[in-house]
Amino acid sequence: MIEPDTAEKSEQNETSSVSRLLSELRRENGWTLAELSRRTGVSISALSKIENGQSQPAYSVLTRLAGGLGLDFADLLEGRSTRPRFARAARTINRRGEGKRLENDMGVYRLLSTELADKALTPMVIDIPPRADNSEPARSAHSGEEFVYVLAGDVIFEMAPYAPVILAEGDTVYFDAASEHGFYSAGPGNARILSICYSGSGEAPDHLTV
């Protein structure tokens, strides 16, 4: 079983930062929810729930918001609308257990290297729970490409149109992230993966609207 890291035990309300930023951007630019939906590819009803703090947006929704608004992914989570571009010779170090925490139906995410602006890659460590009995599987789809390395436990990886496959510790998968996909632990406890996403153009494909 994967024990939660110290940083993951602290309560952080990422949803409130995102909802506050969306509200501020709409007010500053005079955008309606319909306009924000057009820019990001996220449905009006989903935007309304996020802005009112009624839902925790999935990673795929957050990437669409960041891409549609022209924001760095970490800035979106922290409620910042501007930041300098990626600097030459830039670097950042995360010690064990550090990172920006995000939780949704897929699992508990720890986003790494969030100090770097305008990154091409989004590295994350994700603790993935088993699938609950009779529950709908959590699914994600976002622009770009994704590489996953299993750090601990056995993970069931599902991706249309392929059959589910079990990935053991040390196994990897590289795939088109725009195809609907999902992970869940094959064991009684959580599994852990390293996920590195490349956003590509950042544009939201039409079929990803929720």
Side-chain angles (χ1 to χ4, degrees):
M1 179 179 294
I2 303 299
E3 295 295 331
D5 292 311
T6 302
E8 294 171 342
K9 294 178 181 178
S10 62
E11 291 295 328
Q12 301 179 31
N13 193 344
E14 308 298 351
T15 304
S16 65
S17 297
V18 175
S19 62
R20 184 178 63 253
L21 179 58
L22 292 182
S23 179
E24 290 175 353
L25 288 173
R26 287 209 307 115
R27 184 176 62 253
E28 291 171 1
N29 293 281
W31 293 338
T32 62
L33 283 173
E35 173 61 19
L36 188 58
S37 176
R38 185 190 69 78
R39 290 174 175 269
T40 62
V42 179
S43 69
I44 293 175
S45 60
L47 288 170
S48 179
K49 290 178 181 178
I50 295 170
E51 193 168 310
N52 292 317
Q54 297 175 346
S55 71
Q56 293 181 322
Y59 175 80
S60 56
V61 174
L62 291 170
T63 57
R64 277 176 270 166
L65 289 173
L69 295 171
L71 299 176
D72 182 84
F73 189 83
D75 288 340
L76 175 67
L77 290 182
E78 296 177 1
R80 293 192 297 259
S81 59
T82 58
R83 182 192 264 195
R85 296 186 64 81
F86 191 89
R88 292 187 60 189
R91 79 165 204 180
T92 185
I93 295 173
N94 286 139
R95 299 299 184 184
R96 180 174 179 175
E98 294 180 341
K100 195 74 174 177
R101 186 179 183 275
L102 169 69
E103 184 172 359
N104 58 38
D105 291 342
M106 190 76 73
V108 179
Y109 292 62
R110 191 170 72 247
L111 282 81
L112 307 174
S113 305
T114 57
E115 299 86 354
L116 293 179
D118 201 26
K119 299 183 299 298
L121 304 177
T122 301
M124 303 171 283
V125 172
I126 311 173
D127 284 351
I128 302 172
R131 180 178 171 184
D133 293 339
N134 301 319
S135 66
E136 288 294 323
R139 288 290 182 266
S140 181
H142 49 91
S143 61
E145 303 162 10
E146 186 167 352
F147 171 81
V148 165
Y149 180 96
V150 180
L151 297 172
D154 291 336
V155 174
I156 297 177
F157 173 57
E158 298 180 335
M159 173 184 170
Y162 303 99
V165 61
I166 296 179
L167 301 175
E169 183 175 331
D171 289 347
T172 70
V173 59
Y174 193 113
F175 58 96
D176 172 19
S179 297
E180 188 175 81
H181 59 276
F183 299 88
Y184 58 93
S185 172
N190 288 355
R192 177 171 289 171
I193 64 174
L194 169 67
S195 170
I196 302 175
C197 295
Y198 171 66
S199 61
S201 67
E203 297 176 357
D206 293 339
H207 70 278
L208 297 185
T209 302
V210 299

